[in-house]
Amino acid sequence: MTRRPRPRTVTAVVASVALLLAGCTGTEGAQKSSGSDSGMIDFLNYGDFGGGTTPKPNYNPYLDATKLSAADYIYESLMYVETYSCKALPWLATSYEWSDPKTLVYQIRPGVKWNDGKPFTAADVEFTFAMLKKFDVLDTQGVWASLASVEATGADRVTFTFKQPGASVFTQVSGVKIVPQHVWSKVADPTTFVNATAPVGTGPMKLKAFNPRQLVVERNPDYWQADKIKVNEIRFNKADAGGQVEQLKLSRGEYDTNGMFVQDIKKAYVDRDPEHHHYWYAPGGVISVYMNLTKAPFDDVAFRKALTTAFDDQQVIDKAQLGYVTEASQSGLVVPGQKDWLPAGIADEGRIGYDAAAADKALTDAGYTKDGQGRRLGKDGKPISFAFKVPGSYVDWVAAADILIKNLKALGFDVEKETPTPDAHNQDRATGNYDMMFGVHGGGCNMYANFADPLSSARTAPIGKKAASNEIRWQDPRTDELVRTLQVSPDEKAQKEAVAGLVDVMMNQVPMIPIWYGAKWFQYDTTKAEGWPNEQDPYADGANGLVVLTHLVPAGG
């Protein structure tokens, strides 16, 4: 399996002995067995902390490229949209309400303090958003493209006014990290402010120590939900020279949790300590077969629908993806996490199984018959031939493509595999220079983006020109109308009705064919801590660090 950049990627680093000694905190090399009988977990060892190969102290939550992981536990947002079921959890705001499609009001949580003891108020929220407007490079969520104003309307209320109906940017606005006005108002240029000394936030942890090998945060005793935080320290550890070293450290139990790709996770990790070593790879983005909808026969809905049973998804999962992933739903949603968005009556949550005989019959019934040599013919009577493009260096995708090409050939198609470089592959997909290939879409918690990106006609382009995101060239007035509803309506009932309509488009018009979900790598050790999310208790996925921290308890406690 070739690894491509993912949200939780371990980065290699080589540090000199002199550098290690110069930055020693006294916490390195602590043993896995260290625990506590006080109802608390003394410390947990996490994986990499970011910052590249030569990390430096940086806890500015808006400098995504260079900030260190401590920032994710020091700063918080108004709501926390956990990324498994996509529920918006009350956080620094206890609730929100849409007064009208352009006006969103958050109720600010009372009694919250910054970790320097000063009170958190609505004024801090107003200040934060005003700062992002003034220094737009910090607006990493792009919220001011949609916002007209943000105003504290009392000590415990903040009103957001949008230029246009703002439902489609709720997740972005809710996810902005809030910083203290009494600190950041004194910063001349927040775009270069690394916030390296005693960063002030509302979060569950405070900075304790840093050196190029280890980053340590400690429990904030005055945290607004401190009763849920049972971990005294989190120790992030800089990745060593290469994946094999990191996998060895994981297998030896040196990490209480990590998020890395491991070739044979059962043998390399689970079997080393079956009682305590576990993993759960929650489903992420949807990997689909993209067809160039401007070309025959892919422009025929009956042809596309016939192919929904043509692909051996399970073989792709077992052989090309090592059994680490799950079959994707034709709905375009990520199930089972997003099952609440599925309309009633969808069998098996929209998964369509492999049935070559059914595909053969459906193709024949649609007018795509075979000749005496078993070749599948187009409606012009000529054998159908096309190419399947896949980046040659993406070993797992190539293996998956080989399986699908074999399935297609068994149905009588003449399919050639082309293996361009990743850059050429992506360019060809964007400009429509392909017949069939893989594409990735959805997987997030913004339903508007999940469907607008691959399906909105406003995001496509003529063949030869680069499409913004609709690379299959899908154009359908009904789809655009449903996407528009997701963009403008804050009403949950209306949004779910729109998603139901888009699911119907996916199921019955088949603009693309989902095959599998990308994996969110997550390993965890229950020697010291229990309460990690897993398939039986999927309260969040492993990347939702703040939510996970509120669930952890001492093992056996």
Side-chain angles (χ1 to χ4, degrees):
M1 257 179 143
T2 297
R3 298 299 97 212
R4 293 170 293 285
R6 295 183 185 272
R8 303 187 68 203
T9 301
V10 176
T11 307
V13 64
V14 178
S16 69
V17 173
L19 192 59
L20 255 173
L21 294 176
C24 185
T25 67
T27 58
E28 292 83 352
Q31 296 301 307
K32 170 181 173 179
S33 59
S34 178
S36 174
D37 296 324
S38 64
M40 299 292 291
I41 303 160
D42 281 349
F43 68 88
L44 294 175
N45 274 321
Y46 281 28
D48 199 22
F49 52 79
T53 56
T54 55
K56 297 178 181 179
N58 178 7
Y59 311 106
N60 183 325
Y62 313 114
L63 301 182
D64 289 342
T66 55
K67 74 177 182 183
L68 305 186
S69 296
D72 298 330
Y73 293 84
I74 293 171
Y75 297 100
E76 299 181 302
S77 54
L78 293 172
M79 306 292 288
Y80 194 110
V81 181
E82 59 88 356
T83 52
Y84 179 74
S85 69
C86 294
K87 290 183 173 65
L89 306 176
W91 220 256
L92 290 180
T94 58
S95 63
Y96 65 91
E97 179 182 8
W98 290 92
S99 301
D100 59 61
K102 293 184 181 180
T103 310
L104 174 61
V105 181
Y106 290 91
Q107 189 72 31
I108 300 304
R109 185 178 297 279
V112 176
K113 292 182 179 180
W114 297 101
N115 63 28
D116 63 358
K118 290 184 169 52
F120 161 75
T121 70
D124 292 304
V125 180
E126 179 181 319
F127 167 81
T128 295
F129 280 86
M131 181 182 70
L132 299 187
K133 182 179 183 181
K134 181 177 180 181
F135 300 94
D136 58 359
V137 69
L138 302 180
D139 184 12
T140 57
Q141 302 284 339
V143 295
W144 278 105
S146 302
L147 285 170
S149 66
V150 177
E151 182 181 0
T153 49
D156 59 355
R157 286 165 61 88
V158 182
T159 299
F160 290 74
T161 304
F162 296 86
K163 300 170 186 174
Q164 302 293 334
S168 63
V169 289
F170 169 76
T171 55
Q172 292 98 308
V173 168
S174 292
V176 168
K177 295 293 192 294
I178 309 301
V179 296
Q181 180 178 12
H182 67 275
V183 174
W184 287 66
S185 61
K186 300 172 185 176
V187 176
D189 184 1
T191 67
T192 59
F193 178 48
V194 294
N195 198 21
T197 305
V200 177
T202 59
M205 308 303 269
K206 302 189 295 183
L207 179 66
K208 181 178 181 181
F210 167 78
N211 69 55
R213 302 294 299 148
Q214 192 174 73
L215 168 66
V216 184
V217 293
E218 62 183 348
R219 184 175 179 270
N220 173 11
D222 298 320
Y223 182 47
W224 59 271
Q225 51 179 341
D227 59 316
K228 295 182 179 180
I229 307 301
K230 305 297 183 183
V231 180
N232 285 326
E233 283 186 7
I234 298 174
R235 301 175 183 177
F236 298 92
N237 299 275
K238 199 61 189 165
D240 284 314
Q244 290 185 339
V245 174
E246 289 303 298
Q247 289 179 30
L248 178 61
K249 291 168 68 176
L250 179 72
S251 69
R252 293 194 306 222
E254 294 185 27
Y255 293 122
D256 294 290
T257 186
N258 212 322
M260 67 174 78
F261 168 73
V262 179
Q263 183 70 26
D264 186 342
I265 188 65
K266 185 176 184 300
K267 180 180 179 181
Y269 182 61
V270 176
D271 289 350
R272 294 288 295 265
D273 186 353
E275 182 181 354
H276 300 109
H277 288 185
H278 309 278
Y279 70 96
W280 176 46
Y281 297 159
V286 187
I287 293 88
S288 291
V289 170
Y290 277 17
M291 298 162 283
N292 190 327
L293 303 182
T294 68
K295 297 182 177 182
F298 309 119
D299 59 352
D300 181 0
V301 62
F303 178 88
R304 300 193 302 270
K305 199 166 184 179
L307 291 190
T308 58
T309 64
F311 300 127
D312 193 342
D313 309 66
Q314 196 58 51
Q315 191 175 35
V316 169
I317 291 165
D318 293 339
K319 294 187 176 181
Q321 298 296 314
L322 306 179
Y324 290 167
V325 302
T326 55
E327 181 184 353
S329 167
Q330 181 61 38
S331 67
L333 295 168
V334 180
V335 296
Q338 296 175 356
K339 63 183 178 182
D340 289 348
W341 288 89
L342 272 175
I346 302 292
D348 196 20
E349 298 180 328
R351 302 177 189 88
I352 300 177
Y354 173 54
D355 189 336
D360 183 81
K361 182 179 185 304
L363 286 165
T364 300
D365 290 348
Y368 300 94
T369 58
K370 290 181 181 177
D371 65 11
Q373 301 176 52
R375 297 179 300 180
R376 185 72 58 178
L377 305 177
K379 293 186 176 179
D380 59 0
K382 297 178 181 179
I384 299 174
S385 101
F386 55 88
F388 194 119
K389 287 188 178 182
V390 60
S393 60
Y394 290 8
V395 177
D396 58 325
W397 277 27
V398 170
D402 286 341
I403 293 168
L404 302 192
I405 290 169
K406 181 180 178 181
N407 297 153
L408 291 165
K409 287 183 174 180
L411 290 168
F413 296 107
D414 178 14
V415 186
E416 178 186 1
K417 181 174 70 176
E418 297 179 357
T419 54
T421 65
D423 287 345
H425 171 272
N426 293 340
Q427 177 70 13
D428 285 345
R429 187 171 57 202
T431 58
N433 180 30
Y434 70 93
D435 299 321
M436 184 178 281
M437 58 174 26
F438 288 125
V440 184
H441 58 96
C445 288
N446 185 322
M447 288 298 158
Y448 168 71
N450 286 345
F451 287 100
D453 283 347
L455 298 178
S456 170
S457 62
R459 301 191 181 185
T460 194
I463 295 295
K465 295 187 179 298
K466 189 174 182 179
S469 55
N470 176 354
E471 296 164 328
I472 56 175
R473 272 65 188 175
W474 178 253
Q475 298 191 64
D476 172 55
R478 180 181 176 228
T479 298
D480 289 340
E481 181 181 347
L482 293 166
V483 165
R484 175 65 177 165
T485 298
L486 288 178
Q487 183 179 22
V488 304
S489 177
D491 180 69
E492 184 176 337
K493 183 174 182 292
Q495 288 183 343
K496 287 193 171 181
E497 288 176 353
V499 169
L502 290 162
V503 167
D504 180 70
V505 169
M506 285 292 298
M507 300 291 295
N508 292 302
Q509 294 183 261
V510 194
M512 75 277 284
I513 302 176
I515 305 295
W516 78 91
Y517 297 123
K520 297 180 180 180
W521 313 118
F522 173 57
Q523 300 90 23
Y524 62 96
D525 188 327
T526 58
T527 301
K528 291 188 292 185
E530 296 175 348
W532 304 99
N534 53 63
E535 193 169 3
Q536 289 71 44
D537 185 19
Y539 61 82
D541 67 47
N544 296 152
L546 280 181
V547 180
V548 171
L549 191 59
T550 65
H551 284 71
L552 297 180
V553 296

